[in-house]
Amino acid sequence: MVTMSCDDFDAIEIQVIQDVLDIVEARLRESERCGRRLTVPRSRVHAAVLHAVIASARESHGCRATLDRAGILDAIFDGVESSPATTATDPVDSAIERHMVNTN
């Protein structure tokens, strides 16, 4: 059995957070290139997506719920739904759509 130190878990979770934030930011920029603008601060969209990841990790893995185990990550990273527990829409697109308006 391979055991991981707390530092390893922290490094994994930090990488997951960075990857998720990078994806959110890329999608926000794409929406803005299409003539849309946010009605809330960018940090609100980032927080909404991170909250979805945390909630998914808690649902999936009880006591040692690490972010890398969140079922919703497949939908964020690949656009593929990973389990029935995840929502029917992409959580990044969903968070962005709730807070964007068309400027054209």
Side-chain angles (χ1 to χ4, degrees):
M1 180 172 147
V2 176
T3 58
M4 293 180 75
S5 72
C6 287
D7 290 341
D8 293 336
F9 284 121
D10 290 345
I12 290 168
E13 288 199 324
I14 289 169
Q15 187 63 54
V16 167
I17 292 167
Q18 180 181 351
D19 292 346
V20 169
L21 292 177
D22 287 346
I23 288 169
V24 172
E25 194 57 35
R27 300 244 189 110
L28 283 169
R29 284 191 305 269
E30 179 61 30
S31 291
E32 290 167 338
R33 279 192 296 272
C34 291
R36 304 187 76 210
R37 69 174 174 86
L38 280 172
T39 59
V40 296
R42 292 175 108 65
S43 59
R44 180 70 182 186
V45 175
H46 290 172
V49 175
L50 286 176
H51 181 264
V53 172
I54 292 166
S56 177
R58 287 178 183 155
E59 282 177 12
S60 304
H61 291 78
C63 69
R64 184 60 177 134
T66 58
L67 297 181
D68 62 305
R69 295 181 178 183
I72 202 169
L73 290 176
D74 286 340
I76 292 171
F77 293 143
D78 302 328
V80 176
E81 296 305 318
S82 60
S83 71
T86 59
T87 59
T89 60
D90 181 308
V92 176
D93 290 342
S94 179
I96 291 171
E97 288 299 317
R98 281 194 302 268
H99 303 294
M100 282 264 182
V101 294
N102 198 342
T103 58
N104 295 333

